[in-house]
Amino acid sequence: MESFALHSLSTTTTFSTCLYTRNSLLHRSPRSLPITKSSSTAHSLSTIRSSTQKRLLFSPFHNKNKVFTSKFRIFALDQDPNDSPLSKSSEKPAPPQKGAKLIPLLISVSIGLIVRFAVPKPIEVTSQAWQLLSIFLSTIAGLVLSPLPVGAWAFLGLTTSVVTKTLAFPTAFSAFTSEVIWLIVISFFFARGFVKTGLGDRIATYFVKWLGKSTLGLSYGLTFSEVLIAPAMPSTTARAGGVFLPIIKSLSLSAGSKPGDASSKKLGSYLIQSQFQCSSCSSALFLTAAAQNLLCLKLAEELGVIISSPWVSWFKAASLPALFSILATPLILYKLYPPEMKDTPEAPAVAAKKLENMGPVTRNEWTMVGTMVLAVSLWVFGDALGIPSVVSAMIGLSILLLLGVLDWDDCLSEKSAWDTLAWFAVLVGMAGQLTNLGVVTWMSSCVAKVLQSVSLSWPAAFGILQASYFLIHYLFASQTGHVGALYSAFLAMHLAAGVPGTLAALALAFNTNLFGAITHYSSGQAAVYYGAGYVDLPDVFKVGFTMALINALIWGVTGTFWWKFLGLY
């Protein structure tokens, strides 16, 4: 399983979406992200990012000269790639492979062909639906095995569905007009605004100044700042790479805790593990804290589970268990994975010095604050005002463009946003058509019959299905890919087993955030934090599994009573 996981991490094209902050958000100054209007410069920045991307992920473990690698990772972001020490090495990097990887391609295509021609078609399913299912399964297999970048592979799946006349062209492209998908795309631009202005960095630094006298207090300060930023910065990966990892690395290095070294246990390892685990809880707390949350509710709506006042309903349901997890996680890890340094008296002074260097709050930062307060307010009260969430996001982005906080080149250079638009639309469109053609209903009814045959009550079925949905994520290197592949099917199984629709939809969505911290490849932020070089691979798996059990206990106990109080069942 571990070798397969590493293969998925190194090859899966989900990184183009999950790790978009490594393309655009990690490379920043303390105050703002220098984005120029020159297309050639943008291309140069893209070259630098792509050249350092893999080293950020694997250099602490796959480079014999760890000291050199760590230094390169810190300083190369400001260098021209042709001037970097690595470029002067006698070893020439292998040329990038062009075209599809043969073995992943054969496996992915074979899965679809076997389903289409070797597996007998159920009587309840039409030929068109069965053919679409085979194409969909090949597409999902390609997301895991990565024969091509995720957007390219999704486009091939879409092309196949049109060429084989499984779907008409307008039907195949219908999801490209989905409001939820465009809301996710715009959220990428909001995240860039936070990093470009330095606002996220400033907020986190203030919390370090206020709470950072001890290692535990430092962890809580970083955690509370993420909770504050999360509803207005709709990407856990962006928060990890663009805000918190640079701060954690700076604090750790100043304390003599270096990546890929025995001193990493001094401070950096604990802060990385604590922030990584807490980030999943903060993503589960707010609807707009992560892109996959919005996708979950969109897919639930297609199955007839419509949640009124979604932002408020989500927050109410998640608030108690998420806050318990957020408060407990740093303390639990402090006992299970203790740092060698217990006190950090210099951290507040370092933070105060950094704030002094940052200077007073800039006009762009105030504009970002005002815009995000407006956007969040419209998300909260949008239903009462008749303003859809995507329109609220469009208004916010328009304000940022009009006032110069972002320019259009910023939006155009956010390649991952446009890539997400493409492959999300393909997955959502296929999943929606599978629902319309009755495939999801057929699958859920089969599962329901099995559950009924063993006389399981709906609470027991709820527990089994939720646990299965969670554990399957060990096979996925993307939260959004997992949602696109399995969320609709599992929700339909819940409904067929008699689980209340709103409870099932929200619980699956909360799990989608919580399983983002179980491995080093389970999410975008996982790869960002693991790539810092402070945490050993066995520790990632051990801590991830342990915290998964603890979160299951916290959410299971508090959620049972809280959701009953809210009337979800």
Side-chain angles (χ1 to χ4, degrees):
M1 177 67 71
E2 182 173 317
S3 62
F4 171 75
L6 287 171
H7 173 74
S8 296
L9 177 61
S10 61
T11 60
T12 184
T13 52
T14 343
F15 285 160
S16 63
T17 56
C18 286
L19 303 185
Y20 65 90
T21 51
R22 287 179 293 143
N23 295 335
S24 58
L25 299 176
L26 283 173
H27 315 294
R28 54 194 300 279
S29 68
R31 294 189 62 183
S32 62
L33 181 67
I35 303 296
T36 68
K37 296 184 178 180
S38 166
S39 60
S40 61
T41 307
H43 175 74
S44 177
L45 285 172
S46 176
T47 304
I48 295 173
R49 291 163 188 155
S50 62
S51 69
T52 60
Q53 192 174 78
K54 186 168 287 188
R55 284 186 293 277
L56 271 168
L57 280 171
F58 292 106
S59 60
F61 301 92
H62 295 273
N63 194 311
K64 295 180 181 179
N65 190 349
K66 295 181 180 179
V67 175
F68 169 81
T69 305
S70 298
K71 291 181 179 180
F72 177 78
R73 184 169 56 250
I74 295 171
F75 297 112
L77 302 178
D78 296 323
Q79 296 177 343
D80 185 273
N82 296 323
D83 296 332
S84 69
L86 193 64
S87 66
K88 298 177 182 179
S89 171
S90 58
E91 297 181 5
K92 293 183 179 181
Q97 179 175 340
K98 296 182 179 180
K101 302 179 182 69
L102 183 59
I103 294 178
L105 173 66
L106 292 176
I107 296 174
S108 300
V109 173
S110 297
I111 290 173
L113 292 176
I114 290 171
V115 171
R116 176 65 181 86
F117 296 105
V119 177
K121 181 184 72 66
I123 299 175
E124 302 89 342
V125 180
T126 65
S127 298
Q128 178 190 9
W130 194 247
Q131 187 160 290
L132 180 60
L133 177 62
S134 66
I135 296 171
F136 181 74
L137 291 176
S138 279
T139 304
I140 296 302
L143 296 183
V144 177
L145 301 177
S146 185
L148 284 173
V150 61
W153 184 252
F155 183 78
L156 261 64
L158 187 69
T159 302
T160 303
S161 68
V162 174
V163 170
T164 59
K165 298 184 179 180
T166 307
L167 296 176
F169 186 90
T171 304
F173 282 84
S174 60
F176 281 83
T177 61
S178 169
E179 293 183 2
V180 171
I181 293 175
W182 278 101
L183 179 57
I184 292 170
V185 170
I186 295 174
S187 75
F188 281 67
F189 306 146
F190 283 165
R192 176 177 279 268
F194 262 91
V195 178
K196 182 179 179 180
T197 61
L199 178 60
D201 195 5
R202 185 184 295 274
I203 292 172
T205 305
Y206 269 115
F207 275 94
V208 172
K209 178 183 177 181
W210 296 332
L211 301 174
K213 291 184 179 181
S214 67
T215 301
L216 185 59
L218 190 59
S219 178
Y220 274 111
L222 293 169
T223 298
F224 293 158
S225 60
E226 173 147 357
V227 172
L228 181 63
I229 296 171
M233 192 174 185
S235 169
T236 316
T237 313
R239 297 194 297 273
V243 177
F244 294 102
L245 180 60
I247 293 175
I248 291 173
K249 288 178 67 175
S250 176
L251 292 168
S252 300
L253 290 172
S254 67
S257 181
K258 301 177 182 179
D261 186 77
S263 63
S264 63
K265 303 288 186 180
K266 190 175 182 181
L267 180 63
S269 296
Y270 167 73
L271 291 181
I272 288 288
Q273 288 279 29
S274 177
Q275 195 68 19
F276 176 33
Q277 295 297 328
C278 288
S279 67
S280 295
C281 299
S282 63
S283 294
L285 182 56
F286 303 101
L287 173 62
T288 51
Q292 64 266 12
N293 297 346
L294 303 163
L295 184 59
C296 287
L297 292 197
K298 171 63 177 176
L299 295 175
E301 183 180 329
E302 292 181 354
L303 288 174
V305 181
I306 300 175
I307 299 174
S308 60
S309 301
W311 202 98
V312 176
S313 298
W314 179 292
F315 177 73
K316 284 167 56 179
S319 57
L320 192 63
L323 290 174
F324 264 103
S325 289
I326 288 169
L327 292 174
T329 296
L331 182 59
I332 291 172
L333 288 176
Y334 193 77
K335 300 296 184 181
L336 297 179
Y337 194 77
E340 295 175 0
M341 176 182 286
K342 308 297 183 181
D343 297 311
T344 54
E346 296 182 358
V350 171
K353 181 63 176 177
K354 182 177 180 179
L355 289 169
E356 181 182 342
N357 292 336
M358 293 175 75
V361 180
T362 64
R363 170 185 170 274
N364 282 350
E365 287 177 273
W366 282 120
T367 303
M368 195 74 204
V369 169
T371 303
M372 295 317 300
V373 168
L374 174 63
V376 172
S377 299
L378 291 176
W379 284 331
V380 173
F381 302 108
D383 280 1
L385 299 174
I387 302 176
S389 296
V390 67
V391 176
S392 303
M394 292 170 66
I395 292 172
L397 178 60
S398 297
I399 292 173
L400 296 179
L401 291 170
L402 283 171
L403 298 181
V405 176
L406 293 174
D407 55 48
W408 191 238
D409 282 345
D410 293 331
C411 299
L412 292 177
S413 62
E414 200 66 56
K415 295 191 298 182
S416 292
W418 305 112
D419 187 51
T420 298
L421 171 65
W423 78 272
F424 261 30
V426 173
L427 277 184
V428 172
M430 285 188 179
Q433 290 305 313
L434 286 173
T435 301
N436 294 338
L437 294 172
V439 175
V440 174
T441 303
W442 165 74
M443 293 173 62
S444 62
S445 64
C446 292
V447 174
K449 291 177 182 178
V450 173
L451 296 175
Q452 291 170 1
S453 67
V454 293
S455 302
L456 284 181
S457 62
W458 77 255
F462 174 80
I464 292 173
L465 291 172
Q466 291 287 332
S468 301
Y469 181 77
F470 189 101
L471 293 174
I472 287 174
H473 194 65
Y474 277 100
L475 302 177
F476 280 86
S478 164
Q479 291 166 288
T480 49
H482 189 147
V483 171
L486 297 177
Y487 182 88
S488 294
F490 269 85
L491 179 55
M493 294 175 199
H494 278 77
L495 298 177
V499 181
T502 300
L503 174 64
L506 290 176
L508 286 172
F510 297 152
N511 265 330
T512 299
N513 291 282
L514 297 177
F515 61 44
I518 57 176
T519 68
H520 62 307
Y521 59 88
S522 56
S523 61
Q525 66 270 20
V528 170
Y529 284 127
Y530 173 72
Y534 280 98
V535 183
D536 295 330
L537 190 59
D539 290 335
V540 175
F541 278 87
K542 287 188 292 186
V543 172
F545 184 74
T546 302
M547 290 308 303
L549 294 178
I550 292 173
N551 278 322
L553 179 63
I554 292 174
W555 285 75
V557 174
T558 60
T560 297
F561 295 101
W562 183 238
W563 297 333
K564 179 67 174 178
F565 174 76
L566 294 177
L568 296 184
Y569 68 94

